[in-house]
Amino acid sequence: MADSRQLVTFQLGEELYGVSIMDVKEIVRVQAIRAIPNAPNYVEGIFNLRSEIIPIINLHKRFHLKKLVTSEEDELLSGFIILDFDGIKLGVIIDRISRVVTIEEEQIQPPPQMFSGIGAEYIYGVVRNETGYLVILDIRDLFNPKELQKIAELNMNR
């Protein structure tokens, strides 16, 4: 039996991305976000999820991606993916949630050298699909430990 991984897939701009289902705590609809003074520019703010304060990260700003032009129907599929980094929870803004997929390890290829958008250091690999590529993000590499600490501190100061 080949190794496989389950991914939660979502759209950011024109690309389809996936993260390990094991790192996803939940998916929530867009909520009111409260801005945080002096936060890094990609930290959109914080919101309250059942009495837990969650920092919200904007990967569009982090990776200089254009936001997807969405229809009203797409708006219903947008929101936040709540990730859990060893006890540090944060939300990532997504343009549209897609679905959970199972990918066989041998389907995953290294990212092309000139990959548009985000840096190759954040990409675990890519899988070719009917419409192009599914980019598998390594969420543990998206934020270095210092950044995670800073985000956690923003959380504590509220």
Side-chain angles (χ1 to χ4, degrees):
M1 176 81 185
D3 287 335
S4 63
R5 52 177 63 217
Q6 280 198 304
L7 305 170
V8 174
T9 63
F10 55 93
Q11 201 154 359
L12 268 185
E14 296 297 315
E15 299 290 339
L16 186 64
Y17 293 91
V19 293
S20 169
I21 198 167
M22 301 306 289
D23 295 321
V24 175
K25 182 102 173 89
E26 63 187 292
I27 299 162
V28 295
R29 301 274 309 258
V30 172
Q31 312 267 329
I33 301 172
R34 201 167 104 212
I36 306 173
N38 304 319
N41 82 322
Y42 58 84
V43 177
E44 207 60 27
I46 54 175
F47 87 105
N48 188 327
L49 179 65
R50 295 183 295 280
S51 301
E52 195 170 5
I53 303 300
I54 310 280
I56 298 297
I57 306 300
N58 187 328
L59 291 181
H60 298 90
K61 288 181 181 173
R62 172 94 192 218
F63 301 132
H64 311 288
L65 296 172
K66 284 192 174 104
K67 197 159 173 28
L68 183 68
V69 178
T70 54
S71 66
E72 228 173 275
E73 191 181 307
D74 291 334
E75 293 291 320
L76 298 173
L77 299 173
S78 67
F80 310 137
I81 290 183
I82 308 299
L83 301 170
D84 190 331
F85 291 88
D86 307 318
I88 298 174
K89 291 189 187 83
L90 52 88
V92 173
I93 297 171
I94 59 169
D95 289 334
R96 181 172 42 208
I97 191 68
S98 189
R99 59 197 173 128
V100 174
V101 297
T102 301
I103 301 291
E104 300 303 322
E105 218 38 71
E106 71 260 7
Q107 292 177 275
I108 302 172
Q109 302 168 0
Q113 290 295 45
M114 295 301 292
F115 201 80
S116 64
I118 71 173
E121 66 270 23
Y122 307 121
I123 300 174
Y124 175 79
V126 293
V127 176
R128 213 156 165 47
N129 62 21
E130 322 79 57
T131 57
Y133 286 102
L134 164 62
V135 180
I136 303 169
L137 296 176
D138 187 338
I139 65 159
R140 297 188 184 280
D141 286 342
L142 282 179
F143 305 99
N144 66 43
K146 261 190 196 148
E147 284 177 308
L148 279 177
Q149 188 58 44
K150 197 172 189 177
I151 291 167
E153 285 166 12
L154 289 171
N155 208 355
M156 308 288 175
N157 296 334
R158 294 290 128 213

